[in-house]
Amino acid sequence: MDWRNEPITASHWQFLEDKNKVECKLCPRHCELKEGQDGFCRVRGNQGNELKSFNYGKAIPATIETIETEAIYHHSPGARILSMGNIGCMMACSFCQNWQTSQIKHLDNKNVVVYSPEEVIELALKNDIDIISWTYNDPVVWHEFVLDTSRLAQKNNIKTLYKSALYIESKPLDELIEVIDIFSISLKSMDDEMYRKISKARLEPVLRGIKQIYDSGKHLEVSQLVVTDLNDDGVDAKKTAEWMLKNLDSSIPLHLVGYHPAFRYKAKRTSLETLLKAREIAITAGIEYCYLGNVYAENVSNTHCKTCSQKLVDRFGLTIKVSGLNEKSECENCGELSPIVHPKSQKEEEIKTYDYTEEQYFDIKWDSEINALHLVVEDPTKDQIILQVERQPSSKVEYFELNVGLERIILTKSEENETSIRLGANSSNTLHCLPVLDRAHFPTIETDTESKKYLN
């Protein structure tokens, strides 16, 4: 399949008659393109003196995850989401986790699938999912498809989440604000020089966009990436906190996110000690809710009542327990209203009886690097697959469903002393187990060897 086939006319551009070029106005780059020339993102280009989008509906496979994957802690805790990722990006970060699909020159067509808006909605409905997330590679360059599908989601009472570095102009952002329910925005740094050097972008448009979302009243949470040897000395954390307090308010969650070496930047992973120090700086500055991301450790991401310190939501990685809130989002201990939206909105899990006959199983060991994985079904067109996960040493057993059309689900370590899982499936359908190194990471299947070394 040639992913460039069947382009559509893009939005947000104009023809520059004096230059005989088209100017893209989607992101602040404003690429001016001659006939046959592509923009910086490589998924929008000039054809016949019109700006075309080549990636409408062109995606990486949909994945079942939880909302915390997207650095959203104050909306629908524990809710399952359908994560949708595009190809291409309007930035080029040196430490990109998903460079095989975000940087088009590295793209392999085997990693591309095609969805219509209707098919995305059908996947969500069939799998009983209430939230669709636009994520992984940045959805800014997927603008037309995101808008069309999100409008259809509204008609089907499905919420949408936008996880983005937000390098976008104000007019297209206004269109998104009309149809998106939840925004999770990733800051690379509070240093414009770092933006220009490391991400090939600028800081000011990102901050402007965050303020635009905040002023709209839509649900907003902000992430700050903490990168070893670039912005890990605490200065960035302080600047971010001070900017948020001045331009947003103290109750907007700030997620300090650990970096993992990838692509062209190979410094060591952000240490827990570095993240804890950055969190202390942000809290001291006045941020009320500061969480750590990409960390599998106790007591770094829980939400507590600001009045009585009762634990409201207990989080370990992507394992979530809403332990101290009633359905009105009030603290069960003192009655104080919490900032959590829809604390009980995730559907109550029914105890189901499965006709489960195990046809294959794998033992997977967690280690200091690997605490999460994507389980990938080679042929998603076959029957529903039931997965049985037995956690060790607790021996707790959980079941997960993958219905026809879905090929991926994320599985993660659930508590600090968990050492491994025994993963069983009621199908002989070939399974691949791909390590997830960062919660924004979408691992691609490169070789069977890469997959099988995690399936013992």
Side-chain angles (χ1 to χ4, degrees), residues 6-20:
E6 301 180 5
I8 67 162
T9 300
S11 56
H12 301 289
W13 62 278
Q14 67 174 349
F15 179 62
L16 304 175
E17 190 169 355
D18 59 329
K19 297 182 180 181
N20 198 32

Side-chain angles (χ1 to χ4, degrees), residues 13-204:
W13 62 278
Q14 67 174 349
F15 179 62
L16 304 175
E17 190 169 355
D18 59 329
K19 297 182 180 181
N20 198 32
K21 295 180 179 180
V22 297
E23 178 187 7
C24 179
K25 293 186 172 183
L26 177 62
C27 92
R29 226 174 278 284
H30 281 230
C31 294
E32 295 183 6
L33 308 173
K34 298 178 182 178
E35 171 66 33
Q37 187 177 11
D38 292 340
F40 181 92
C41 63
R42 302 284 296 276
V43 292
R44 300 167 85 81
N46 184 345
Q47 280 193 357
N49 285 329
E50 289 188 343
L51 186 68
K52 298 291 186 178
S53 170
F54 302 110
N55 69 343
Y56 187 91
K58 316 294 173 55
I60 53 181
T63 306
I64 295 179
E65 298 182 310
T66 64
I67 197 167
E68 286 76 16
T69 312
E70 310 295 40
I72 293 293
Y73 282 11
H74 285 194
H75 199 300
S76 308
R80 296 188 312 145
I81 61 173
L82 184 68
S83 290
M84 302 294 304
N86 55 286
I87 57 174
C89 187
M90 73 293 177
M91 296 169 72
C93 299
S94 298
F95 39 68
C96 181
Q97 299 291 324
N98 299 317
W99 56 272
Q100 294 102 326
T101 52
S102 70
Q103 305 305 304
I104 291 299
K105 67 180 179 180
H106 298 290
L107 180 67
D108 188 327
N109 277 329
K110 72 181 180 184
N111 292 318
V112 182
V113 295
V114 182
Y115 297 104
S116 67
E118 292 77 14
E119 287 170 335
V120 174
I121 300 304
E122 184 179 6
L123 278 177
L125 293 173
K126 278 187 174 181
N127 288 277
D128 201 25
I129 292 173
D130 295 331
I131 300 172
I132 295 171
S133 179
W134 307 109
T135 184
Y136 295 126
N137 302 346
D138 206 285
V140 164
V141 295
W142 218 16
H143 190 72
E144 295 81 9
F145 186 72
V146 169
L147 284 179
D148 288 349
T149 311
S150 296
R151 288 174 182 136
L152 192 57
Q154 285 182 327
K155 295 178 181 178
N156 286 272
N157 296 316
I158 297 172
K159 295 186 183 301
T160 51
L161 189 162
Y162 198 79
K163 172 70 171 171
S164 174
L166 208 66
Y167 203 53
I168 189 172
E169 288 288 25
S170 296
K171 287 186 178 180
L173 181 54
D174 275 335
E175 292 178 336
L176 290 169
I177 287 170
E178 290 180 4
V179 297
I180 300 293
D181 301 283
I182 306 161
F183 286 89
S184 176
I185 306 306
S186 302
L187 271 171
K188 308 300 180 183
S189 172
M190 283 298 287
D191 182 355
D192 187 64
E193 183 178 350
M194 178 176 163
Y195 255 88
R196 291 175 185 270
K197 181 179 179 180
I198 301 298
S199 299
K200 307 299 185 291
R202 293 181 290 116
L203 172 62
E204 187 277 330

